[in-house]
Amino acid sequence: MEQHPTKGLNMHIYKLGNIADKKNALKTLGVESGGVGIMAKKMELLTFFLKDLKTPAANILKQDALSIGADLAVPSGVILCEKETYDCILIGTRKHMEVLSKKELAQPFGLKTVASELKKFLSVTSNDVQVMGVINANDDSFFEGSRFKAEDAVSALKEMVVEGANIIDIGAVSSRPNAQKVSEHVELERIKPICDAIRSEKLYEKVTFSIDSYTPSVVEYALQSGCTIINDITGATNDDIIKLAVKYEAKLCVMHMQGTPQNMQNSPSYEDVMVEVSQFFEARIEKCEALGMDRKNIILDVGLGFGKTLDHNLTLIKNMVHFKVFGCEVLVGASRKSMIDKIIFTPVEERLAGTLAIHLKAVENGASIIRCHDVKEHVQALAVAARLK
């Protein structure tokens, strides 16, 4: 009689999820603590896009990667050196990247830079996610539900505190596409009552406040009233804003925008949006540090919808982890924006679900501050998502 040694055995196979699942599985198996860390590095696959890599460097890196079990995806012309530079994709485990980050330090043709950049990415750690609520003291912001008059704004921000906001961003000028410009005097008059309430009621003891402005007089009034973050949509183009951040030991959120709110959505274009936004941040960080800012006090915002097409926005969200390499907190703000409508027709009032989907993906990809109109819903969604990790 033919025997079936495996017949009746209850054997199953299932795919492990993220790196946290893999580490837990190793612990459940009873793997020693030191072995968990070693094996986990072999279970985490990383992929890096290398732009304009010199041809000799591509050939060297290809061989070095293959020698340790990793790989470098290259165009067909690399082996014949048909061009001076090529775009390539480096693929391997975290352990592979650790090896290459040391191995390439001794190689020429720019591979030392590749090695140092890999080290930066490998050193990136995750941060706790903070929810930033939005209070607009104007009647022009694209989402009507975020507009408040002075007396209502204070009540609204107090409600956001109860709902679990970590930060509240107050602003008096709309930055939506084609928004009307507002004078310095009007902006200051709109923001004063809110700032005065924050100071007089010591609301800054309950939550962190951010001032959404690039007008020095408005920013300084807010900082004197208890705000400790400057949210500058112009990306710190004005040295006075940086100097105010240094003077008051405030954090500065540097946002990328192509153009101005009045023209930013008039056919925005990039040769490579990831490269150009990254170069922008690199230059701005250098400028901020030269004027006395500590990098730990700089926040980066890729500026979704600020001079970006839908494809540009999606690319930035999908690759948001890249911006953590600068060692700064990364803010994302897609709350109820038109990119949702471009994916699936939806009026502003009904875009909460789309907003949550984008923000949860952004957090998964490295964002640590979520700027939103709907605080309670974001606090709940992030709490559930955290338990699913």
Side-chain angles (χ1 to χ4, degrees), residues 313-353:
N313 291 328
L314 294 175
T315 296
L316 291 165
I317 294 165
K318 291 175 183 178
N319 298 282
M320 193 155 285
V321 69
H322 164 76
F323 300 105
K324 289 177 70 66
V325 75
F326 291 107
C328 303
E329 292 179 281
V330 177
L331 180 149
V332 65
S335 191
R336 297 180 178 268
K337 288 188 174 179
S338 62
M339 65 175 292
I340 299 167
D341 184 56
K342 289 180 172 67
I343 295 172
I344 178 169
F345 177 72
T346 318
V348 176
E349 295 74 22
E350 298 175 18
R351 294 179 190 166
L352 175 57

Side-chain angles (χ1 to χ4, degrees), residues 121-370:
F121 278 105
L122 293 171
S123 67
V124 166
T125 56
S126 59
N127 299 316
D128 292 334
V129 181
Q130 299 183 83
V131 175
M132 173 188 276
V134 179
I135 295 289
N136 289 312
N138 63 62
D139 55 5
D140 191 33
S141 291
F142 78 95
F143 178 43
E144 187 176 351
S146 70
R147 305 175 197 162
F148 299 96
K149 301 225 181 221
E151 60 273 16
D152 298 324
V154 177
S155 297
L157 66 84
K158 286 180 178 178
E159 185 176 350
M160 285 183 178
V161 173
V162 174
E163 291 176 342
N166 307 104
I167 307 167
I168 296 178
D169 192 38
I170 59 172
V173 178
S174 173
S175 56
R176 65 171 176 78
N178 301 309
Q180 294 293 317
K181 290 186 177 181
V182 173
S183 70
E184 178 179 345
H185 172 74
V186 170
E187 182 183 4
L188 188 57
E189 287 303 304
R190 288 176 177 177
I191 211 74
K192 268 186 174 181
I194 304 173
C195 289
D196 291 347
I198 291 171
R199 182 174 58 247
S200 64
E201 298 184 41
K202 296 185 178 180
L203 298 175
Y204 50 79
E205 294 180 352
K206 298 180 179 180
V207 70
T208 299
F209 284 97
S210 167
I211 177 65
D212 181 4
S213 176
Y214 48 89
T215 306
S217 61
V218 174
V219 168
E220 183 154 31
Y221 193 89
L223 294 175
Q224 291 172 340
S225 302
C227 289
T228 53
I229 298 176
I230 305 168
N231 186 8
D232 182 0
I233 67 166
T234 68
T237 54
N238 186 341
D239 289 2
D240 289 341
I241 295 296
I242 302 173
K243 290 173 182 176
L244 283 170
V246 174
K247 177 181 177 181
Y248 288 91
E249 299 181 348
K251 290 188 175 185
L252 175 61
C253 182
V254 176
M255 193 191 80
H256 177 274
M257 173 170 54
Q258 189 179 84
T260 67
Q262 289 69 43
N263 61 27
M264 62 188 181
Q265 289 306 105
N266 296 343
S267 302
S269 63
Y270 301 83
E271 182 178 333
D272 188 314
V273 69
M274 286 296 299
V275 170
E276 292 180 46
V277 173
S278 188
Q279 289 174 338
F280 169 84
F281 284 146
E282 189 173 357
R284 286 297 185 269
I285 291 171
E286 183 178 344
K287 180 182 179 182
C288 288
E289 289 184 325
L291 289 173
M293 283 205 74
D294 291 331
R295 188 172 295 226
K296 67 181 181 180
N297 289 329
I298 301 172
I299 302 168
L300 305 178
D301 179 358
V302 298
L304 298 178
F306 286 82
K308 318 281 192 312
T309 64
L310 173 61
D311 285 341
H312 295 146
N313 291 328
L314 294 175
T315 296
L316 291 165
I317 294 165
K318 291 175 183 178
N319 298 282
M320 193 155 285
V321 69
H322 164 76
F323 300 105
K324 289 177 70 66
V325 75
F326 291 107
C328 303
E329 292 179 281
V330 177
L331 180 149
V332 65
S335 191
R336 297 180 178 268
K337 288 188 174 179
S338 62
M339 65 175 292
I340 299 167
D341 184 56
K342 289 180 172 67
I343 295 172
I344 178 169
F345 177 72
T346 318
V348 176
E349 295 74 22
E350 298 175 18
R351 294 179 190 166
L352 175 57
T355 298
L356 289 169
I358 293 169
H359 284 164
L360 288 174
K361 175 55 70 173
V363 168
E364 181 183 325
N365 292 345
S368 53
I369 301 175
I370 304 300

